[in-house]
Amino acid sequence: MTLQTCTLVPHDTLQHAYFPHLLLPVLLLLLQAWRGSCHPQCLDYKPPFGPRQPLVFCKEYSKFGCCDLEKDGEISVKFYTIMENFDHSGFVTCGRFIRSILCQECSPYAAHLYDAEDANTPMRMLPGLCGDYCVDYWLQCRYTLSLLLEDLGSPQQFANLTATIEDDQRKFCNYLELKDKQYCYPNVLSNTDLNANLGLVREDPKGCLELCLQEVANGLRNPVAMIHADDGSHRFFVAEQLGYVWVYLANGSRIDRPFLNLTQAVLTSPWAGDERGFLCIALHPRFTTVRKAYVYYSVSVKKEERIRISEFTLSVYDDNQLDHSSERTILEVVEPASNHNGGQLLFGHDGYLYIFIGDGGRAGDPFGKFGNSQNKSTLLGKALRIDVDNNDDGAPYSIPSDNPFLREKESRPEIYAYGVRNMWRCSIDRGDSATGQGRGRMFCGDVGQNKYEEVDLIVKGGNYGWRAKEGFSCYDRKLCQNSSLDDILPIFAYPHKLGKSVTGGYIYRGCQMPNLNGIYIFGDFMSGRLMSLKENHTTGEWHYNEVCMGRDQTCRFPKLINSYYKYIISFAEDESGELYFLATGAPSATARAGVVYKIVDPSRRAPPGKCNIKPSPVKIKGKLIHFHPKEEFVINKRPTTTPVPTTATRKTTTTTTRKMTPPPPTRKTTRRTMLPPTTATTTTTTRTTRQTLQTTRKTARKTPSPTIKATTIKTTARTTTIKPSTSPTTVQTTMATTPATTTATGYRSTIMTAASSRIAQTPVLTTPSPRRHWRPLQYLPSTTTQPLTSAQPPTSPSVPLERPSACVPERPGPLTTPRMPYWSQRPTGSPYRSQRPTINTTLPKKQGELWLGEKLDNNEEGNQVYKRPGGRGSGHGYKRVRGRRYRVGSVRLVSADGLPDRGRVEIFIRGEWGTVCDDLFTSKAGTVVCRQLGFTTSVAVMKRAALGEAGSNVRIFLDDVECEGGERSLLWCKRSRVGKHNCSHGEDVGVICG
C-alpha cells in the first residue's frame, strides 16, 4: 500500500498565525521540514496492535489501536468521573464529545493526534480536533474543557488557561484544532487512504516493504553464523570467520571468554572476500542433555585444503564454553579449489544433521564429465544427511535408513539432495504457530555463476540442476537438454542486476511482528539488497517484494535505526523466532566491522504482554562486556532542515547514516544550524517591568515563600516567540501573555463548582508531575500583545503566588455566554483526582534556564558489580550553595526552553555544578538521572549537546559513564575519575524523562 504524504504543522506555529509577515516563510520551512509519510504510532512511541481481548469502552478500537483492556478500563473510569458533574440532559449532550476525546488515546494515530511522534518535543494534552468538530464542541460543551484538563497538570495553570479561552471560540479552537485535515479527529476515521490497509506491512511508493532495524551486537570480525541453544536461556552464539564463537546473553551482554576458539586451526586470510574459514556451528537439538556442538571450517592438512566437520563436547566446568580437547572429526572432504566451500550445518526436525557442501570451486564445475554436482559418487555439490546420535563408542556417524541413495550403486549414502552449486545459508521453517502449516520445510540460497541467483526448497532425493541449469535458464546447454535430468526448479531466481551472491534467510515465525508471519526474508551479499518472498497458498507460487529501510518518520521508535552495513553475510533467528541478519562494512576476517541487526516491522506489534519472555538464569564464569550501540537511533536524529536564519548560531551535529556502502564512522561531525528569530517588543513599560522584577527578587530573598517558574520571568518581557518545528512549545508563552489574576467571567458554569472548590483547596504546583505523558501543556497565548504594566505587575519567582478570589471563586461568577439548561447545579466529589503536595523550586544560577527540583532517590539498591565510590564526591556528603544544601551526586536538567522533564545533565560535585559527557552514556544512565528527579524512566538520551551545551565556566565532571539502571546516582556507576575526560562541552549529554 502507499499512504499519502501529509504535512505536519506544529501547533505552536499556528498560534502565531496572526503575524502575516512571518507566516509565509515559517510555513514554507515547516512544510519542508515536516513533510513526510505519517504512520500509526501510539503514545508510548511504539506501533499499534490488536488487543488480545475486545475493548469495552472504546469499542471502535477493538480490532486495532493503542489500548489493551486495562487501559480501556482506565479511560472508562476517567469518563464516568467527569460525567458525575452532569445531569441527564448534559450527559446526553456532552457525553459523546468527552468520550470521543478521551478515546483518541486508543487511536492507531494517537501519536499524531497528540503531536507525540517526535519524542523530543512536548506532547499535546488533548488530541487534535478538526475545525468543524471543534466548533460544535465549543457551541454545546465549551465549559467541559477544564474538566478534561483538570487532572493533567497544575490547577492554577489550567484555571488561567480555560478562563482565557473557554468563552472565545477562536482561542478555543486554535488550542484544540489540528490543522492537518487528514489526521485530525474525526476525519482520521473516514480517510480511506489511511485506513484501507491500516496495520499491514508498509510499502513505499515503489512497493518496497518498509522495515526498520535494531542493533544487537557490533565490533565483530565477519560474523558468519548466529544460533541459539533452545534451552530457555535465550542466549545466542555468534561465530566469526576467524574461528571465534561468542556467547551473548538475553540482555545483550557478551561473555568475555569465547565459547570456542579455533583460530589456530582455521584456514583463512585477511583478504576481502576469502570464502575459507570458520563457516558454521550447530548445537545438538537436545543440547541440555546431549551437550554437543558441531562445527564446519576450512583446514589445511599437508598443504591440502579440506572441509572439516567436527564434534565438540560442552565443558564440565562451564556451560558457556566447549571443551577444546574434546574435538572429534566427523567428516573431512578435500577441496580442489579455495572457493565454493559451502558452509551450512543444521539439524532438521527429524533430529539428523544436514551438511551443505559446495561443488569444489572454480568456474562452471569443470570436474569430470558432468561436474561434481551431478556426480553422486562424490560429496561435493551435495546436501548430506547423517545421524550423529549414539556415536560415542562407534563410528562418528551413521546413515539414516531412509536416505534416498542408500542402496544406489556407486552413490554416496550420505547424499540427501544433489545438483547444488554453493549453497550459502539454509534454514528450516518452524511452521505457523497456530496451524503448523509449513513446518519442517528447508529453504536454501544457492549462489549462481554468471547470471542468476536462486532460492530452493530442499526435498529428499531432489536434483537442483547445476551445472545443467543456473536458476531457470540453461548453463550447460548439452546437459540441460538431457531428458533424464528431472531437476527441481527454484522457487525464485533473480538476475545479477539485483545482486551477485545470494544469502539465504528465514521464514518469519516470531511473535512480536504478526504481519511478517510466513514471509521469507533473505538478502544478497554483494548488492546489500534485502528481499522477501510470500507464498500464495492457492497456487503455490512465491511472490517477490523488495525490503527497504523505512524513512526517519517510519522508524521513529525507541532503539530503532534505518541503515545497515552493505555486506549481508548471514541470517538467524533467536529462541523466540525473531529474525536477525549479520552484516559487515569490510568483508575481511580481521576487520571489526561486523554488526548483528534485528529486523523490526513498524506497522504493527503484538499486544502488550503476549511476547514476554523470562530467560532462565545462566551461570557465568568470567566477566560480562556490556553492549553499546554505535548507530544513532532514528528517534534521536535531529532535523536536517535549517530554520529561519538569524545572526545567532550554535553548534549541532549532523546525522551520519550508513547507506549500503558506508564510510568508516566518524565520531564527531558538526554542522551549524541557525537559530530562529524572536520578535520582542521593547517598550518603556517592559523596562519598568524588568525593574520591578529586580526589586522583587531582592526583597524575596529574605522572605521564604512558594515560587513560580523562572521561565515566567524570562518571557514577560516578550510578546511573541516564533520557533521552528524542532523547538518545543512550553508554558512560557501562555504565562507571558495571560495575566496571573484572571477574572472568573466565563471560566466555568455552575456544574464546575465542585472542580473549582478542589482547585481552591489544592496547593499550587510549581513543578509538573513526572507521571507518564504529563508534558508541559501546549498553551495558546492570548491575543493581547501589551506587556504587563506596573499597575499589574508580573509575579516574581520569589514572590508568594496568591490566588485572589476572582481567579478561583467560591461561587461561580456571571457567564458571558448563557449556560445550557442541562448544566447540573449540584457539586460532586471525585475520587479520580487527588490533592497534590506543594513542591518548591528555586531559581537556578542562570536566569531563564529551568531545571527540575532535586528529588533524592530512596531506592537502596546499589550497583552489585561496581564498588561504591569513596572520598571526594562519594555521594553521601552535603554542600551548601547560596543557602541551599545539595547532596553530592545530585543532578539537575538545565533547559533553555524551560522544560522540567528534559535538558542538559548537570551533577553536583565538589561544591559546584558540572556537566557529563555523552561517551558511553545510554538510556540506563538516563534512567538513573530521571529517577533521582522523580520521574519513572528516560524517554531518550540526547548526545552531542543536542539539548544545549554549557558555558566555558562550567566544568566537565564525568565521562565514560556506564550504568546498569538501578544505581542511586551517576557516581555509583562505572565511570572515569571525577574531572578526568577527553571531551568538550560540544558532547554534553541531555536526557528526556518520562
Side-chain angles (χ1 to χ4, degrees), residues 667-938:
R667 184 176 175 212
K668 301 175 184 177
T669 307
T670 60
R671 65 180 170 89
R672 298 178 72 84
T673 302
M674 310 301 288
L675 286 179
T678 57
T679 305
T681 306
T682 307
T683 62
T684 306
T685 308
T686 306
R687 288 192 290 271
T688 304
T689 301
R690 290 175 180 169
Q691 294 171 0
T692 306
L693 291 176
Q694 293 173 0
T695 305
T696 53
R697 287 194 199 104
K698 294 178 181 179
T699 307
R701 288 176 185 171
K702 303 177 182 180
T703 309
S705 61
T707 59
I708 64 172
K709 295 182 179 180
T711 46
T712 306
I713 305 171
K714 178 181 177 181
T715 55
T716 49
R718 301 179 183 177
T719 52
T720 329
T721 300
I722 296 181
K723 297 186 177 183
S725 60
T726 55
S727 299
T729 305
T730 66
V731 183
Q732 297 173 224
T733 314
T734 299
M735 301 303 287
T737 55
T738 304
T741 56
T742 308
T743 61
T745 302
Y747 170 49
R748 305 196 182 188
S749 63
T750 309
I751 64 103
M752 306 301 182
T753 305
S756 298
S757 62
R758 284 195 293 274
I759 295 173
Q761 297 170 5
T762 304
V764 177
L765 277 175
T766 57
T767 303
S769 168
R771 276 181 54 185
R772 176 173 168 265
H773 295 158
W774 285 8
R775 293 188 178 185
L777 182 61
Q778 294 189 349
Y779 291 135
L780 176 71
S782 169
T783 56
T784 304
T785 59
Q786 298 176 354
L788 298 174
T789 63
S790 57
Q792 188 183 10
T795 312
S796 167
S798 300
V799 174
L801 178 64
E802 298 180 358
R803 293 188 301 269
S805 58
C807 182
V808 186
E810 295 181 1
R811 298 178 182 177
L815 302 175
T816 57
T817 304
R819 63 174 179 265
M820 303 300 176
Y822 50 74
W823 300 91
S824 172
Q825 299 292 325
R826 55 184 179 82
T828 58
S830 171
Y832 188 78
R833 294 175 287 274
S834 59
Q835 290 194 355
R836 305 172 179 85
T838 303
I839 301 176
N840 294 326
T841 58
T842 57
L843 187 64
K845 292 190 292 186
K846 293 185 179 181
Q847 179 180 346
E849 291 188 334
L850 179 67
W851 52 276
L852 190 68
E854 175 194 6
K855 179 179 179 181
L856 298 178
D857 193 352
N858 58 4
N859 185 0
E860 295 300 325
E861 294 182 5
N863 191 323
Q864 301 301 314
V865 179
Y866 306 111
K867 295 182 179 180
R868 180 175 179 173
R872 296 181 66 181
S874 61
H876 49 78
Y878 286 88
K879 293 284 185 179
R880 185 176 295 273
V881 176
R882 293 186 181 181
R884 179 172 178 180
R885 297 175 70 221
Y886 292 98
R887 178 191 290 266
V888 175
S890 299
V891 291
R892 68 182 185 184
L893 299 180
V894 179
S895 169
D897 295 316
L899 299 175
D901 62 343
R902 65 197 64 200
R904 178 178 65 250
V905 176
E906 293 194 358
I907 185 168
F908 188 79
I909 306 174
R910 298 175 179 171
E912 61 179 309
W913 291 97
T915 63
V916 181
C917 289
D918 58 26
D919 291 339
L920 305 184
F921 200 97
T922 65
S923 59
K924 292 183 179 180
T927 298
V928 173
V929 171
C930 292
R931 285 179 177 171
Q932 276 189 265
L933 298 175
F935 293 88
T936 304
T937 186
S938 65

Side-chain angles (χ1 to χ4, degrees), residues 69 96 102-104 178 192 206 321 460 480 608 716 987:
L69 196 59
R96 61 189 180 93
L102 293 178
C103 281
Q104 293 320 298
L178 185 67
T192 55
K206 297 181 181 179
Q321 199 168 41
K460 182 170 66 175
C480 186
T716 49
E987 296 170 84

Side-chain angles (χ1 to χ4, degrees), residues 295-299 301 306-310 327 329 331-332:
V295 298
Y296 186 128
Y297 64 97
S298 303
V299 65
V301 179
R306 300 182 184 180
I307 292 169
R308 177 178 290 172
I309 314 297
S310 289
E327 181 175 11
T329 300
L331 179 68
E332 278 191 0

Side-chain angles (χ1 to χ4, degrees), residues 410-431:
E410 297 183 356
S411 294
R412 293 293 297 264
E414 297 93 341
I415 298 175
Y416 182 77
Y418 67 105
V420 304
R421 182 177 182 273
N422 187 33
M423 287 193 164
W424 182 249
R425 293 303 167 247
C426 303
S427 64
I428 294 181
D429 187 1
R430 293 186 177 207

